[in-house]
Amino acid sequence: PELREAGGITQHISAYEVVHTAKNAKNHKITFIDTPGHEAFCGIRKRGAGVADIAVLVVSAEDGVKPQTKEALTLIKESKTPYIVAINKIDKPEANIERIKQNLGENEIYIEGYGGDIPCVPVSAKTGEGVPELLDMIILMSEMETLTGNPEIPAEGIVIESNRDIKKGISATCIVKNGTIKKGMYIVSGTASRPVRMMENYLGKPLDSATFSSPIKIIGLDE
């Protein structure tokens, strides 16, 4: 779906799912919640950190640690979320990974090999270099954290954004944290309640059911 942005800055949380084949040849589904990097959107980012099992702190290989990086780190630490550092833009001519790793330590982000135990993966969002290694690291960390759920119980989750569409009415983007949600079940969020009649995955395809940690859109809420 097309993202409309003011000033080229992402102003909402989007959630999407990838399937990654790990080194053991097993397929793993990973749900990503993409939160805004701009410091004006601290409140949105705080909600994002609260729902995530693992955080990825993205630092530019050109610019290093910026004020919004420190702010994001504070939110990650407050929520006690384990995290990985991704040094992005390693394809850029001005990229200096070694300098950035030292810069991280200067800002009390102690990565592996530099006095700490925080995993660090150099990546390029543009070329894709390092992205498989980042996904491997997320899977490894999730196994170490022993993240589990029970598909037999009714779902509970978190609404990360909601909006009003002229054609579809009020919809909510949710992350299922545990259990299973099916069409026809009643959902309650605050004072809003409604049986689930329309449910979509992150690509906008219809769903009959979803379980943890799926990102879903529920359409037809009453407020």
Side-chain angles (χ1 to χ4, degrees):
E2 182 186 343
L3 296 178
R4 294 182 182 174
E5 301 182 349
I9 301 167
T10 307
Q11 293 182 42
H12 75 300
I13 298 176
S14 55
Y16 49 95
E17 206 167 44
V18 301
V19 178
H20 178 60
T21 306
K23 290 176 180 175
N24 61 5
K26 280 178 64 178
N27 284 340
H28 296 260
K29 277 186 179 178
I30 306 173
T31 294
F32 282 91
I33 304 167
D34 180 20
T35 61
H38 194 275
E39 56 198 328
F41 306 108
C42 169
I44 306 179
R45 201 150 61 241
K46 193 164 187 175
R47 288 200 296 279
V51 65
D53 296 309
I54 294 166
V56 180
L57 184 69
V58 182
V59 180
S60 165
E62 293 181 302
D63 305 325
V65 176
K66 296 167 82 171
Q68 56 264 43
T69 316
K70 293 181 183 179
E71 182 191 277
L73 180 66
T74 300
L75 296 174
I76 289 167
K77 286 183 173 178
E78 282 176 0
S79 65
K80 295 182 170 59
T81 308
Y83 71 100
I84 299 165
V85 174
I87 301 177
N88 189 26
K89 301 185 181 178
I90 60 171
D91 56 283
K92 296 274 193 172
E94 300 297 314
N96 187 331
I97 297 171
E98 199 60 34
R99 180 173 58 82
I100 299 305
K101 286 182 175 181
Q102 291 168 2
N103 179 228
L104 289 167
E106 290 161 7
N107 286 276
E108 299 181 4
I109 303 169
Y110 301 113
I111 62 170
E112 289 173 345
Y114 287 75
D117 58 359
I118 305 299
C120 178
V121 185
V123 300
S124 167
K126 189 173 182 180
T127 68
E129 184 184 351
V131 172
E133 287 77 11
L134 176 61
L135 298 179
D136 283 337
M137 184 56 71
I138 290 170
I139 291 163
L140 177 63
M141 189 174 274
S142 73
E143 288 170 348
M144 288 167 63
E145 294 290 321
T146 58
L147 303 171
T148 58
N150 180 0
E152 303 303 319
I153 62 173
E156 57 183 44
I158 296 178
V159 176
I160 55 173
E161 64 180 1
S162 60
N163 56 56
R164 188 188 300 271
D165 184 281
I166 295 170
K167 294 176 183 173
K168 294 182 177 179
I170 298 168
S171 65
T173 301
C174 313
I175 301 291
V176 182
K177 289 290 284 180
N178 198 10
T180 297
I181 183 168
K182 298 177 181 177
K183 279 174 71 172
M185 291 174 95
Y186 261 84
I187 60 159
V188 177
S189 177
T191 57
S193 65
R194 190 56 64 104
V196 179
R197 294 197 177 94
M198 288 180 67
M199 189 163 57
E200 296 177 349
N201 69 6
Y202 76 102
L203 294 170
K205 302 280 173 58
L207 288 175
D208 289 328
S209 68
T211 188
F212 56 90
S213 306
S214 298
I216 57 171
K217 179 174 274 192
I218 296 170
I219 298 158
L221 295 170
D222 57 350
E223 63 175 314

